[in-house]
Amino acid sequence: MSMRTLTVRIKRYVPERDRSPRWEEFKVEADPHDRVLDVIQKVKWDQDETIGLRRSCAHGVCGSDAMRINGVNRLACKVLIKSLPSDVLTLEPILGLPVIKDLIVDMKPFFDHYKSVLPYLINDDPPPTTERLQSPEERARFDDTTRCILCACCTAACPPFWGDNKYVGPAAIVNAHRFIFDSRDRGAAERLDILNDTEGVWRCRTVFNCTNACPREIKVTQAIQEVKQALLTGEVDTHSVVNIHQET
Amino acid sequence: MNYHRFDCIIVGAGGAGLMAALEASKLAGTAVVSKLYPTRSHTGAAQGGIAAALANLEDDTWENHAYDTIKGGDFLVDQTAAEVLCREAVECIYDLEHMGLPFDRTPDGRISQRRFGGHTKPNPVYDPAAPAGAEASKPRIPVKRACHSADRTGHMILQTLYQQCIKQGVTFFDEFHMLDLIMVEGECRGIVAIEIATSELHVFHAKSVLLATGGFGRMFKVSSNAFALTGDGPAIAYRHGVPLEDMEFYQFHPTGIYRLGILLSEACRGDGGVMFNGEGERFMEKYAPNLKDLASRDVCSRSIYQEVRAGRGVGGKDYVYLDIRAETINKYKTSPTGEPVDSAWVSKRLPDIIDFARTYLGVDPIHEPMPIQPTAHYAMGGLPTDVHGRVLRDESGAFIPGLYSAGESACVSVHGANRLGTNSLVDLVVFGRRTGREMARFALDRPFQSLPPKPEAFVKSEIESVLARPRVEPWVKIRDEMQRTMMDECGVFRTEETLTKARDVLVDLQKRYRSTGVQDKGNVFNTGLLEVLELGCLLDLAQATVASALARKESRGAHSREDFPARDDSQFFRHTFIFKDGEGPGRIGYKDVDVILRQVDGRMEPKYPLEIRKY
């Protein structure tokens, strides 16, 4: 495949310089196998060093470079140029969180929501001298939600969150789910109580944007529905994978 | 200027830093300073497993693990440290499980374990008289020792440790980038960091400082390392006169994604994957007749280079194939269960690997082999420490009060000349925990020592000077030349000639580095400025690496001198200590390898006698 000349449109905002966000365009030669991250760094290194973005691992596991790519939330290191439908690449910061500079948003509100759901194992029983036992089925029960990398693609794609940033958002619920359905955990009631609040799971309108945005392909909406179900029935089944509201 | 005071300051929020933070904060006031949000740390990219001789699936002992660690390190490993590592690995794994780490499970609910390169145990049916190739002819056989959570074990460790830090209320300074150590009268009394969002400088006054900043693989062109891995801790300490140990030993992981260097875990081969050259030959049979594809990483990486040099790369190019298709595993009878496997089993064991190959190679490893090449992966060398994480002042073994290191930035040395797969994760939990305890204990025993006036003055003037310099040339050009030079001249194979060339190029790059500036002069997230300062760290460490490699005229583990192809225990059974002198590398000293002796028939004999390393 040959090189493509891309028009990269970046929504710029440098607080020391711009009163409000503005669009800026760059032309760049890109290899079809390049990642969008490679293209942005090429522009940054060769044309305008002031472009602001976060990145680290560059292969979709650290969660630093979530951004809106052609209108949808993606990790810039997981989108290849060959997958772009046209030669125009539009880049914006993710929505719902305050912009600090260019593609960088303030992640503090996001992490505060995450911390609010008690995202850690709660079990005060004295542990055995070796491992606690957990069957492969019990382990599989919460496998999907252990994969979250806290990139915020889901939360920042959620219309209810855009409208109300006090809503804990999908990522926090995913991380609550990871412990609620862990057979070793004893904190489900406490977490469910937090999520039963007006800013908890009931804000979810089942739009599925979160599921579509997740770079780890976590079934985010399903996880939220499972938490809602646990609240409605008062039961938490940590033993078997149940497919309520099977997604298509 | 902003001033903070904590008993313990931990720089870096990967596995070692967070483990230390959990321990230290139980006893003393502790804060973690990290240039990334903690969950972005590169521990999260570790894939295949973390070794501990739990013996959940078959017989194993921590002594087997220690032997593999020492042999894997080509006998440059400090043996007391290796025994600490392998013994304490077992309780650390149980600790992690109690913290909630979601390990994969065996059918009876225990932690699941898999095979990995160089993980062995004595063959119970070994018979030296058995014909070559027979099962009984192998003195050691593979063992399932690597505890895992699919192929995202590092992700689970990082998440679990961060979760526990939240539970315990550990203080974090996220996106604060350390730029200097405060060293007074041979002691460490704090650090200077820049708040990335504002460019404000912060002084952190401390009684003990832990450098847990990770590796520095970004000095090479093809690397599995994140952009953030620029060796800030070792480089800044080195500038303050602290030595660096065994810098010539840098591990190239055999199976990186072609051209990108993204890691494809050794678990691929542990679970039965096989490497093939362009002629479809399973070439590891030639280089490691017993363990074949499960030989140590340095051995596999050299074998790939030799195949490529002989024109047997795929299509005559510089890569080979890694094949994890079920039919291949079954054909070569490499299934770890002994039973045939199917595609569903492979998908369940290696989901992220399959996703990486599909995303970045456009190859579906369920149906096709993956193009791979060795990728710069792990620094065995770093800041010299003892088994409590205390940084050594020199080869005599004296300490620098208040300064600690753990994880990849440290050299204990449990990895010697070549790290055993999964031992990076073992290292950071075992020595992260020990160091956290030690630094807190030290802090509780003493008052705060006074700081010099304006401890941030040096950093301030450095930044002003970079911002004031004209951009004579893009600094990216300097970085690219460094990475290419290190890859080509100081990579898997080295000679006097290539290393001398690298040394001269680096002197020139240092000069150019000091005369060019940055375009961005702003204060908000000036990542250009920080990237330049990181490049400065990498250049210093690259020079230390090349100088150490030039001085070691032998081949051992990952350090392969084609002009000195044999291991030379008479001269080089010892660790390199390199000191900075002015602008570049200076004095090199040596420290003996720590050897455990035991009494046999009234005589003292080495517990782990030197042997020629074969797999």
Side-chain angles (χ1 to χ4, degrees):
Chain A
M1 280 189 271
S2 55
M3 300 287 277
R4 279 166 72 170
T5 305
L6 294 182
T7 302
V8 183
R9 299 176 67 237
I10 304 180
K11 195 176 195 180
R12 301 293 310 268
Y13 171 68
V14 180
E16 296 150 302
R17 187 178 68 191
D18 304 318
R19 244 192 268 161
S20 56
R22 63 196 168 82
W23 288 95
E24 198 166 356
E25 280 189 15
F26 301 90
K27 294 272 182 207
V28 62
E29 289 284 300
D31 187 300
H33 296 101
D34 279 346
R35 297 161 277 204
V36 166
L37 176 64
D38 298 319
V39 168
I40 306 170
Q41 301 218 99
K42 220 175 201 176
V43 173
K44 179 174 167 69
W45 292 331
D46 297 344
Q47 301 184 41
D48 186 348
E49 244 175 45
T50 68
I51 294 169
L53 79 153
R54 291 192 183 97
R55 86 284 181 267
S56 192
C57 81
H59 66 287
V61 298
C62 82
S64 295
D65 59 350
M67 56 186 73
R68 268 165 83 81
I69 299 174
N70 291 339
V72 290
N73 289 358
R74 292 285 181 266
L75 299 178
C77 60
K78 278 204 89 173
V79 180
L80 299 196
I81 297 309
K82 65 180 179 187
S83 73
L84 299 178
S86 83
D87 287 338
V88 179
L89 173 60
T90 303
L91 305 170
E92 303 161 76
I94 50 175
L95 301 177
L97 293 161
V99 177
I100 298 177
K101 178 186 182 183
D102 298 335
L103 302 168
I104 299 170
V105 299
D106 182 1
M107 293 293 284
K108 190 175 178 299
F110 174 82
F111 277 102
D112 285 345
H113 284 311
Y114 163 73
K115 290 170 191 169
S116 76
V117 301
L118 317 179
Y120 39 77
L121 191 86
I122 297 174
N123 185 335
D124 295 332
D125 302 342
T129 52
T130 63
E131 66 268 60
R132 289 191 176 98
L133 298 181
Q134 181 170 57
S135 72
E137 293 71 30
E138 289 168 336
R139 169 64 181 80
R141 179 67 190 85
F142 63 101
D143 185 62
D144 201 37
T145 45
T146 62
R147 297 189 289 148
C148 175
I149 55 174
L150 298 167
C151 64
C153 275
C154 60
T155 296
C158 170
F161 181 78
W162 298 338
D164 170 16
N165 61 18
K166 290 196 183 67
Y167 168 39
V168 293
I173 302 172
V174 159
N175 283 279
H177 178 283
R178 179 251 169 274
F179 289 103
I180 291 170
F181 293 94
D182 184 332
S183 61
R184 301 167 297 173
D185 186 79
R186 301 286 173 268
E190 215 177 330
R191 279 187 210 96
L192 286 170
D193 207 37
I194 293 167
L195 293 174
N196 204 15
D197 184 85
T198 48
E199 301 296 351
V201 286
W202 307 114
R203 289 267 165 203
C204 168
R205 289 284 173 269
T206 342
V207 186
F208 283 89
N209 273 14
C210 50
T211 302
N212 293 331
C214 179
R216 304 289 286 162
E217 295 174 355
I218 297 170
K219 297 183 186 75
V220 182
T221 314
Q222 179 172 322
I224 297 172
Q225 295 302 93
E226 288 177 11
V227 173
K228 289 180 185 170
Q229 192 81 0
L231 277 168
L232 288 173
T233 62
E235 280 173 34
V236 175
D237 180 0
T238 60
H239 299 283
S240 49
V241 179
V242 281
N243 276 320
I244 53 167
H245 301 275
Q246 185 65 50
E247 289 170 25
T248 50
Chain B
M1 210 271 307
N2 308 276
Y3 173 86
H4 313 267
R5 202 163 91 153
F6 291 90
D7 294 323
C8 302
I9 285 291
I10 293 168
V11 186
L18 296 183
M19 196 75 190
L22 284 174
E23 287 298 321
S25 62
K26 286 180 196 161
L27 298 169
T30 302
V32 181
V33 174
S34 170
K35 65 181 179 181
L36 301 174
Y37 271 99
T39 57
R40 315 296 184 219
S41 305
H42 209 54
T43 297
Q47 298 170 354
I50 174 165
L54 308 184
N56 278 359
L57 288 159
E58 55 181 308
D59 288 343
D60 196 13
T61 63
W62 69 261
E63 288 92 342
N64 287 342
H65 185 188
Y67 170 81
D68 288 340
T69 298
I70 291 164
K71 179 181 171 185
D74 215 348
F75 295 88
L76 197 70
V77 170
D78 283 334
Q79 297 177 3
T80 308
E83 291 205 337
V84 166
L85 179 88
C86 301
R87 211 171 39 227
E88 294 186 12
V90 176
E91 60 183 79
C92 278
I93 293 294
Y94 292 139
D95 264 5
L96 290 171
E97 197 284 328
H98 298 158
M99 290 177 192
L101 198 141
F103 284 110
D104 288 348
R105 299 290 170 154
T106 63
D108 58 353
R110 308 181 72 185
I111 295 169
S112 179
Q113 298 184 279
R114 60 157 50 118
R115 290 177 179 174
F116 239 76
H119 292 193
T120 67
K121 63 177 180 179
N123 183 356
V125 298
Y126 176 57
D127 173 6
E135 194 54 27
S137 73
K138 299 170 182 174
R140 297 183 78 86
I141 52 172
V143 64
K144 298 187 186 85
R145 183 185 295 143
C147 310
H148 57 89
S149 186
D151 51 359
R152 12 183 194 257
T153 313
H155 165 77
M156 301 303 183
I157 291 176
L158 185 67
Q159 294 285 329
T160 301
L161 293 176
Y162 185 55
Q163 291 156 4
Q164 291 296 308
C165 285
I166 293 171
K167 187 178 184 185
Q168 218 168 286
V170 173
T171 305
F172 283 92
F173 291 86
D174 296 330
E175 298 191 322
F176 277 58
H177 188 133
M178 176 192 62
L179 293 176
D180 202 9
L181 285 173
I182 304 171
M183 300 288 290
V184 189
E185 294 163 9
E187 303 183 352
C188 184
R189 295 185 185 169
I191 66 162
V192 181
I194 185 169
E195 184 175 357
I196 301 175
T198 61
S199 288
E200 279 184 37
L201 294 181
H202 293 250
V203 168
F204 291 87
H205 188 183
K207 296 177 191 170
S208 37
V209 171
L210 166 59
L211 299 176
T213 59
F216 33 86
R218 281 281 152 183
M219 68 168 66
F220 297 95
K221 183 163 183 270
V222 177
S223 173
S224 66
N225 282 200
F227 282 103
L229 291 174
T230 53
D232 307 358
I236 289 168
Y238 178 56
R239 291 170 188 162
H240 279 281
V242 180
L244 297 173
E245 181 177 356
D246 291 342
M247 291 294 284
E248 62 272 39
F249 298 103
Y250 198 91
Q251 181 173 80
F252 284 74
H253 193 293
T255 61
I257 287 184
Y258 182 49
R259 290 192 308 175
L260 288 173
I262 296 167
L263 184 67
L264 298 174
S265 171
E266 201 167 317
C268 293
R269 285 168 288 135
D271 282 354
V274 175
M275 295 191 289
F276 295 101
N277 64 20
E279 295 168 5
E281 180 194 6
R282 187 187 183 189
F283 56 88
M284 284 311 296
E285 287 178 334
K286 292 184 292 196
Y287 300 100
N290 285 339
L291 288 185
K292 303 187 179 78
D293 296 272
L294 285 176
S296 257
R297 290 178 178 172
D298 57 333
V299 176
C300 292
S301 288
R302 274 195 294 279
S303 305
I304 294 171
Y305 264 71
Q306 280 170 316
E307 290 299 302
V308 165
R309 279 181 175 183
R312 293 191 291 271
V314 176
K317 292 197 188 153
D318 55 345
Y319 66 91
V320 296
Y321 281 136
L322 171 63
D323 192 339
I324 59 168
R325 289 178 293 183
E327 60 258 41
T328 302
I329 296 173
N330 294 335
K331 180 180 169 191
Y332 287 88
K333 297 189 169 37
T334 47
S335 156
T337 61
E339 303 289 320
V341 299
D342 59 17
S343 300
W345 182 86
V346 175
S347 305
K348 189 160 178 270
R349 302 276 290 192
L350 302 165
D352 279 4
I353 297 300
I354 291 166
D355 179 43
F356 296 151
R358 286 176 181 158
T359 303
Y360 299 110
L361 288 165
V363 162
D364 186 346
I366 294 295
H367 303 296
E368 306 159 84
M370 300 174 277
I372 50 124
Q373 70 178 155
T375 180
H377 184 55
Y378 189 87
M380 274 70 75
L383 291 163
T385 70
D386 72 348
V387 293
H388 304 290
R390 296 184 283 202
V391 173
L392 307 186
R393 179 184 307 284
D394 55 39
E395 61 272 39
S396 77
F399 306 119
I400 299 170
L403 189 62
Y404 300 81
S405 187
E408 190 174 344
S409 57
C411 179
V412 183
S413 143
V414 288
H415 309 308
N418 170 65
R419 174 172 68 74
L420 195 70
T422 77
N423 268 0
S424 55
L425 295 176
V426 189
D427 180 2
L428 55 85
V429 295
V430 169
F431 291 104
R433 191 169 73 151
R434 285 178 150 255
T435 307
R437 284 177 189 163
E438 177 64 24
M439 71 189 297
R441 193 199 57 72
F442 176 82
L444 290 180
D445 276 357
R446 64 168 5 203
F448 279 95
Q449 308 293 308
S450 63
L451 292 186
K454 292 194 190 308
E456 78 288 5
F458 175 74
V459 168
K460 199 159 172 259
S461 74
E462 274 287 280
I463 291 174
E464 279 166 3
S465 135
V466 175
L467 292 177
R469 289 201 290 256
R471 194 167 175 263
V472 181
E473 66 173 325
W475 59 267
V476 179
K477 258 183 77 183
I478 299 170
R479 185 201 58 194
D480 291 350
E481 280 179 46
M482 169 192 69
Q483 290 175 336
R484 213 172 40 242
T485 301
M486 290 302 287
M487 196 77 194
D488 295 344
E489 319 295 349
C490 190
V492 168
F493 287 108
R494 298 121 184 229
T495 65
E496 182 94 21
E497 193 191 336
T498 66
L499 291 169
T500 308
K501 186 174 162 198
R503 184 189 63 192
D504 297 345
V505 170
L506 289 169
V507 169
D508 173 57
L509 293 179
Q510 279 280 21
K511 211 177 293 164
R512 285 160 56 191
Y513 171 76
R514 276 191 267 272
S515 58
T516 195
V518 291
Q519 204 182 34
D520 190 350
K521 315 286 185 192
N523 285 325
V524 180
F525 268 88
N526 190 338
T527 53
L529 168 69
L530 295 175
E531 278 186 274
V532 166
L533 297 172
E534 289 174 331
L535 173 59
C537 290
L538 287 172
L539 280 170
D540 282 350
L541 297 178
Q543 286 189 301
T545 302
V546 169
S548 302
L550 263 171
R552 184 173 286 270
K553 297 183 193 313
E554 66 155 355
S555 290
R556 182 187 297 271
H559 175 65
S560 222
R561 287 280 302 252
E562 287 184 283
D563 41 355
F564 298 97
R567 196 174 80 193
D568 179 359
D569 291 323
S570 66
Q571 276 202 77
F572 289 107
F573 183 45
R574 49 190 192 164
H575 301 288
T576 307
F577 274 56
I578 188 164
F579 298 81
K580 192 163 188 281
D581 178 18
E583 298 294 290
R587 183 174 82 80
I588 287 179
Y590 291 94
K591 179 168 178 282
D592 285 344
V593 173
D594 168 53
V595 170
I596 298 177
L597 298 175
R598 63 177 170 186
Q599 206 159 14
V600 180
D601 300 331
R603 284 175 324 215
M604 296 306 281
E605 289 194 350
K607 186 172 174 188
Y608 303 94
L610 285 168
E611 57 180 91
I612 299 298
R613 190 158 155 264
K614 281 189 297 201
Y615 285 101

